[in-house]
Structure formats: structure tokens, C-alpha cells
Amino acid sequence: MDVTTGNELIDWSAYAQARTELGANFVRILGYFREDGVKSVSRIEDAMRGHNAAAMVIPAHTLKGESRQFGAEPLSELAETIEMMARACVERHDTPDAVLEHVVRLRPLFESTLTLLEREANPLVARRPAGFGRRPAA
């Protein structure tokens, strides 16, 4: 991953579009994403520990949609994988053992993604240093 830009974790054009569309509400809604995301990840992990596929479906679905809104495609895709696998387990009346490897990857990906989103949203963070007295690159 490109640590400085997070290009592998965030589709910055989708992020910019969300920022434009949400306007002054952007930071507040990003805060809701943080709160909801923390809860969703915890609920998915708890459901995995309890071997409860049905309890994974809604938090994974929520995380999928909210992640996509901010351009966090890898996180959205992982949440979708968990959701679809959990739904299949419910339909088959099976335990979600096969979902474990995806659930294990979820929290670190969520935290890395959130860090990038919040860093970009912070108005105090310098974007691209242009150097003193120099014009920023276009």
C-alpha cells in the first residue's frame, strides 16, 4: 500500500464526490461512519465467536454500504464477502467457520481505512507541501 496516499484503500475520486455532495455535513457523517463502523466490526467479531452467521448479516451489510459511500472499496468488498458468506450459511443452516479468515482481516482494514479518511478530512493536515514562497503544483 502507498502509505502516504492510501490509493489502494480509498478511491479518492469517490471520496471527493462524497465530500462535495455532503458539503458541511461531511465531517459529521464521517463521524457516524466511525461510530457505526466500530459497532459493526465488533458485532461481526462477536457473531463469529458465537458461530452465529445470522448476526453477521446486518452489520456487514451496513459496513458495506457506508464504506462504499466514502470510496473505501476494499473495506466495502470485504464486508460484502462476509455478508454474502453469512447469508449462505444461514440458508444452509451451517456455522460460519469459513468466514473466519475474512473476519480476521476486517478490523485492521477498517482501522487503516478510517485513519486515511479522517486524515484527509482534517483541515489542519498539510496536503502537499509546496515549499515556502512557492506556488503549489497544479
Side-chain angles (χ1 to χ4, degrees):
M1 177 185 107
D2 182 339
V3 177
T4 57
T5 62
N7 287 336
E8 291 183 7
L9 295 183
I10 309 294
D11 174 348
W12 293 113
S13 62
Y15 174 90
Q17 181 178 351
R19 192 168 190 153
T20 299
E21 290 173 0
L22 296 171
N25 295 316
F26 180 82
V27 172
R28 180 174 49 86
I29 293 172
L30 184 59
Y32 295 153
F33 171 67
R34 168 187 266 289
E35 291 172 17
D36 291 347
V38 166
K39 289 176 191 173
S40 291
V41 170
S42 291
R43 287 178 181 149
I44 292 166
E45 290 171 341
D46 290 345
M48 186 70 237
R49 281 189 282 280
H51 302 287
N52 185 347
M56 288 182 197
V57 175
I58 291 174
H61 179 80
T62 301
L63 187 59
K64 172 186 72 176
E66 290 181 353
S67 300
R68 193 159 283 144
Q69 175 182 6
F70 290 104
E73 288 303 317
L75 180 58
S76 180
E77 289 169 9
L78 181 58
E80 183 174 28
T81 297
I82 292 168
E83 176 191 1
M84 293 298 110
M85 291 179 78
R87 286 182 190 275
C89 289
V90 170
E91 290 172 9
R92 292 189 315 263
H93 303 285
D94 197 3
T95 60
D97 296 337
V99 185
L100 179 61
E101 69 179 275
H102 303 289
V103 173
V104 168
R105 294 180 24 235
L106 187 61
R107 182 173 295 278
L109 181 58
F110 172 74
E111 290 174 353
S112 297
T113 299
L114 186 62
T115 297
L116 289 168
L117 292 172
E118 289 179 335
R119 183 182 73 189
E120 187 65 23
N122 185 343
L124 302 178
V125 174
R127 299 293 173 231
R128 291 176 188 86
F132 182 74
R134 292 187 185 166
R135 196 177 226 175

